[in-house]
Amino acid sequence: EDKVVQSPLSLVVHEGDTVTLNCSYEVTNFRSLLWYKQEKKAPTFLFMLTSSGIEKKSGRLSSILDKKELFSILNITATQTGDSAVYLCAVELGEYGNKLVFGAGTILRVKS
Amino acid sequence: NAGVTQTPKFRILKIGQSMTLQCTQDMNHNYMYWYRQDPGMGLKLIYYSVGAGITDKGEVPNGYNVSRSTTEDFPLRLELAAPSQTSVYFCASSRGLAASYNEQFFGPGTRLTVL
């Protein structure tokens, strides 16, 4: 059974802290790994990772994939209250339909 | 360019009632998906479609039906609503397997309560 596990389930930090969110996976046919941010509405796309060791960066957010150890991390530096959200990790399967298998998400709360 | 739109935003149903959740995308995407999200859980795939006239079951299809008569529209039908179908429903679309950058774009969701 394909599965994606995220950790921690939730965390609370103060503004300015750096956080690392983890995502591990076990799937039969990996195509890519995606990170989404969800703020009480639709998930919004952050990153798509297909190759190991290549960091993707967008402002204070960055992510990297390790296809040998089957995990990815999402880093957020200098956190702000606007970063408070649920962060979802999903693996795209390389088969008919490009289905996504989602983790349960990490709830991040940034306190001012 | 509205992206993916869903109607209604909220709905309360009684047990045994039926309804259709509407989803439309204007990005000319080939692939479309329906997910449900229960509290504290990730998204679970209900049904998906790789093109007009083609639909397939996802992980949790029981109690639902879909159709895809056009590229733009992908309605989800609940025939006999049950409390277990209380959830938030998201529709999504993507370009398709041949695309090199193939992230799924999500609609705003429909919050459904069955009492």
Side-chain angles (χ1 to χ4, degrees), chain A residues 4-8 20-26 30 32-36 47-56 62-75 88-91 106:
Chain A
V4 176
V5 178
Q6 293 186 244
S7 64
T20 298
L21 309 183
N22 304 294
C23 175
S24 63
Y25 61 91
E26 285 182 43
F30 176 93
S32 70
L33 186 143
L34 298 90
W35 285 96
Y36 286 87
F47 297 110
M48 174 183 274
L49 303 154
T50 55
S51 301
S52 279
I54 299 174
E55 185 183 53
K56 293 265 181 114
S62 64
S63 184
I64 198 160
L65 173 67
D66 185 328
K67 289 169 75 174
K68 183 180 176 188
E69 300 297 330
L70 307 183
F71 78 90
S72 173
I73 59 171
L74 175 69
N75 278 321
L88 296 168
C89 173
V91 171
T106 293

Side-chain angles (χ1 to χ4, degrees), chain A residues 31 36 38 42 92 96-98 103, chain B residues 31 33 37 97 99 102 104 107:
Chain A
R31 185 169 192 250
Y36 286 87
Q38 186 176 26
E92 180 191 15
Y96 180 80
N98 288 74
Chain B
Y31 289 15
Y33 308 84
Q37 185 177 33
L97 184 60
N102 195 37
Q104 291 185 17

Side-chain angles (χ1 to χ4, degrees), chain A residues 72-102:
Chain A
S72 173
I73 59 171
L74 175 69
N75 278 321
I76 308 174
T77 59
T79 51
Q80 302 171 356
T81 55
D83 295 326
S84 297
V86 177
Y87 290 84
L88 296 168
C89 173
V91 171
E92 180 191 15
L93 303 180
E95 59 189 37
Y96 180 80
N98 288 74
K99 297 186 285 289
L100 293 182
V101 180
F102 280 87

Side-chain angles (χ1 to χ4, degrees), chain A residues 1-2 9 31 34 36 38 40-48 50 56 86 88 92-105 107, chain B residues 31 33 35 37 40-45 48 50 54-59 90 94 96-109 111:
Chain A
E1 183 191 343
D2 298 320
L9 290 180
R31 185 169 192 250
L34 298 90
Y36 286 87
Q38 186 176 26
K40 294 193 184 298
K41 49 185 191 313
T44 54
F45 173 76
L46 294 174
F47 297 110
M48 174 183 274
T50 55
K56 293 265 181 114
V86 177
L88 296 168
E92 180 191 15
L93 303 180
E95 59 189 37
Y96 180 80
N98 288 74
K99 297 186 285 289
L100 293 182
V101 180
F102 280 87
I107 303 170
Chain B
Y31 289 15
Y33 308 84
Y35 295 90
Q37 185 177 33
M41 307 286 285
L43 282 73
K44 302 282 187 187
L45 182 65
Y48 65 102
V50 299
I54 307 169
T55 62
D56 288 277
K57 294 178 181 179
E59 187 181 355
F90 289 102
S94 68
L97 184 60
S100 57
Y101 217 73
N102 195 37
E103 74 271 25
Q104 291 185 17
F105 296 84
F106 286 82
R111 185 175 294 275

Side-chain angles (χ1 to χ4, degrees), chain B residues 5-113:
Chain B
T5 56
Q6 291 181 237
T7 57
K9 288 189 171 61
F10 305 95
R11 183 73 185 268
I12 298 175
L13 284 182
K14 293 182 179 177
I15 294 172
Q17 286 186 318
S18 61
M19 76 164 294
T20 299
L21 282 66
Q22 302 291 346
C23 174
T24 300
Q25 54 92 9
D26 63 359
M27 297 175 281
N28 201 31
H29 283 170
N30 293 313
Y31 289 15
M32 295 187 75
Y33 308 84
W34 273 106
Y35 295 90
R36 59 177 287 172
Q37 185 177 33
D38 300 323
M41 307 286 285
L43 282 73
K44 302 282 187 187
L45 182 65
I46 305 171
Y47 269 94
Y48 65 102
S49 168
V50 299
I54 307 169
T55 62
D56 288 277
K57 294 178 181 179
E59 187 181 355
V60 289
N62 291 345
Y64 307 95
N65 273 303
V66 293
S67 59
R68 183 106 181 262
S69 56
T70 66
T71 299
E72 295 78 20
D73 300 305
F74 190 39
L76 177 72
R77 178 92 179 151
L78 282 72
E79 289 295 349
L80 290 169
S84 61
Q85 293 178 305
T86 294
S87 190
V88 180
Y89 292 83
F90 289 102
C91 179
S93 71
S94 68
R95 294 175 187 85
L97 184 60
S100 57
Y101 217 73
N102 195 37
E103 74 271 25
Q104 291 185 17
F105 296 84
F106 286 82
T110 294
R111 185 175 294 275
L112 175 67
T113 302

